[in-house]
Amino acid sequence: MNYIFVIFLLITACFHFIQCTHLKGTFKSNDFFKFLVKFGFQKTDIHQKESTHGYIFGNITSRQNFPVQITFAVLDRLYFLEYYQNRLIYDKKEACKRMFNTLKVAAFDPKCSPNGNDYLRKIPCPKGQLCVDEDTAWNVIGGHQFTYVIQDLVQPSFWYVSMVACYRDEETCEWHHYEPNEHYEIDYDMWLVNGNPNNSAYNVLTYQFSFDRQNTLELHLLLWLCYIILVPLQCYAVRVQKHPVTKLFTASLAIDFVAICFILVHSLKFSLDGVGFPNLNMVGDILDILSRTLFMLLLLLLAKGWAVTRLELTWKPLVFAIWLCYGIVHILLYVWNLTEVDVIEDIDEYQTWPGWLIIVFRTLIMLWFIYELRITMLYEHNTQKLNFLLHFAASSLVWFIYLPILALIALHVSALWRLKLLLGITYSADCFAYCVMAHLLWPTRSEQYFLLAGGSNAELEELDQFNEAPHIVNHSYTSSLSSVNSLEICRFDDQSKSKANT
């Protein structure tokens, strides 16, 4: 498990963005731009507006006196993309002009754009007071300096929160870069929620979650309930039948159960404080990947007939090399998705080149699995073992093929629903595969086709195989025919003698 710990440290070191809804931190003016979070707000129910609105509220202050207030922006995707792309311009004066080229008209300002929308705030806000742009004090959540109320009656939508060292000249209404002689720091503490924080009737299962992650807590709870039944049953099975296949399957199942427990603990705490345990969640994700790779190893071993038709495993280096490569590529995809994929882009992990690589890799392993299973079945003549291999092949192919199909379907699904689709089908398919495998490997059933460890049992199984072999069957058939012919000859001789006596 040491290499898992090393991988976790590597991910933690590279991970520069954590999806939280309760944000705390510091923005330095010399950084010019800081992206804070992308958050999905639910569709507003026209009959329950107050309880279904989205809210962004909090405090933004500084321990220093800013000569000029800079800008805090809350934008929908329509305005955010132009604003975000222009941040990379080397000349920051020009960058500010281009970033706010559209917003200087679209964003509200009492003098420069009185008909604009409420997108911007001047920060830092005065200590102990509301932000200067908050002209309706009753609308601000108690104990905080600013509040945004998000309403969309048509559909859910993503909103993007950021800070930038630009300010608007009140006289000319033009945007400029803030270039102080010394660096200033701004401290922020804010919340993003789906529901009215003043209304105690909000749904705790969705309140803290971005729309694209809503209902994932219920999914984790349902999976945990399934595993809390399946895992004890499998622990009983491995105690009754101490067999290498059963042990390997139990290890894979137990690791996946621990992963679900870690992710569930994070989700439960996240639903309460908007932060959760991000590091614990990452450990859970890594353990989930490890459990899937172990399960794939088990499928490959059984496809080669290990412990079913033969005790010795052929091509060991190749099998374990493929398994190890798949695990490494899967973890690299996870790291890539966290560190290299821009959260602004509405893509999932399977829409990147590492994602397509692992889909192709998995498909090739599936084809090799089919080839090895076909070879194993050609050399097997035991009816019970063939029946096991047929059921095993059907369930395993479903597990192999679902991910490539799911990745293709996800291409045509909106990012607001895509994550829930991927998680729901992936977790459900894995759970179903574990249930089917537990059924196939149950001791009272598997003892009929396993080459069990131990002298007497192994000898008996080998003897059964020997008796089932084609040349033994033919010899038995020939012997039977010879016995029948001898019996007929004897009967004929007896009849002839009785006639002669008569």
Side-chain angles (χ1 to χ4, degrees), residues 326 330 333 346-363 398-414 418-419 421-423 425-426 429:
Y326 180 80
H330 209 318
L333 170 62
D346 284 340
I347 61 174
D348 62 79
E349 56 190 318
Y350 299 114
Q351 294 179 19
T352 61
W353 70 263
W356 288 116
L357 175 63
I358 202 167
I359 291 295
V360 172
F361 198 1
R362 186 183 178 102
T363 304
V398 171
W399 185 81
F400 270 111
I401 199 64
Y402 87 87
L403 190 59
I405 295 175
L406 178 60
L408 292 174
I409 294 174
L411 291 173
H412 307 284
V413 177
S414 167
R418 189 184 301 138
L419 178 64
L421 173 71
L422 289 172
L423 289 179
I425 295 182
T426 299

Side-chain angles (χ1 to χ4, degrees), residues 187-199:
D187 300 316
Y188 58 87
D189 182 355
M190 66 185 71
W191 297 77
L192 297 91
V193 296
N194 274 301
N196 189 342
N198 291 324
N199 186 352

Side-chain angles (χ1 to χ4, degrees), residues 227 248-249 251-257 259 284-297 323 399 430 434:
Y227 281 117
L248 183 58
F249 172 65
S252 175
L253 177 61
I255 292 173
D256 201 35
F257 176 61
D285 288 338
I286 294 170
L287 290 177
D288 185 49
I289 293 171
L290 177 61
S291 71
R292 291 177 194 171
T293 55
L294 277 178
F295 187 71
M296 178 175 284
L297 175 63
W323 167 67
W399 185 81
D430 290 344
Y434 281 126

Side-chain angles (χ1 to χ4, degrees), residues 470-481:
H471 65 281
I472 299 299
V473 173
N474 292 335
H475 177 70
S476 301
Y477 179 70
T478 305
S479 300
S480 299
L481 287 177

Side-chain angles (χ1 to χ4, degrees), residues 338-386:
L338 292 181
T339 59
E340 299 298 324
V341 176
D342 194 340
V343 70
I344 308 306
E345 300 180 31
D346 284 340
I347 61 174
D348 62 79
E349 56 190 318
Y350 299 114
Q351 294 179 19
T352 61
W353 70 263
W356 288 116
L357 175 63
I358 202 167
I359 291 295
V360 172
F361 198 1
R362 186 183 178 102
T363 304
L364 293 176
I365 292 175
M366 180 185 69
L367 296 176
W368 185 50
F369 168 84
I370 295 172
Y371 171 78
E372 291 290 349
L373 191 60
R374 180 176 178 273
I375 297 297
T376 300
M377 294 179 72
L378 285 175
Y379 287 92
E380 182 56 63
H381 302 282
N382 185 294
T383 304
Q384 291 175 331
K385 293 184 179 182
L386 282 174

Side-chain angles (χ1 to χ4, degrees), residues 140-195:
V140 179
I141 302 299
H144 299 88
Q145 295 177 302
F146 72 90
T147 296
Y148 286 86
V149 181
I150 310 296
Q151 173 181 296
D152 194 330
L153 299 174
V154 179
Q155 62 180 5
S157 57
F158 283 117
W159 286 71
Y160 305 83
V161 182
S162 62
M163 296 179 178
V164 63
C166 298
Y167 68 95
R168 186 180 345 218
D169 188 313
E170 296 295 337
E171 298 298 327
T172 63
C173 293
E174 294 297 324
W175 286 88
H176 303 282
H177 176 216
Y178 175 58
E179 298 178 286
N181 295 327
E182 58 179 308
H183 299 310
Y184 293 89
E185 293 184 352
I186 295 177
D187 300 316
Y188 58 87
D189 182 355
M190 66 185 71
W191 297 77
L192 297 91
V193 296
N194 274 301

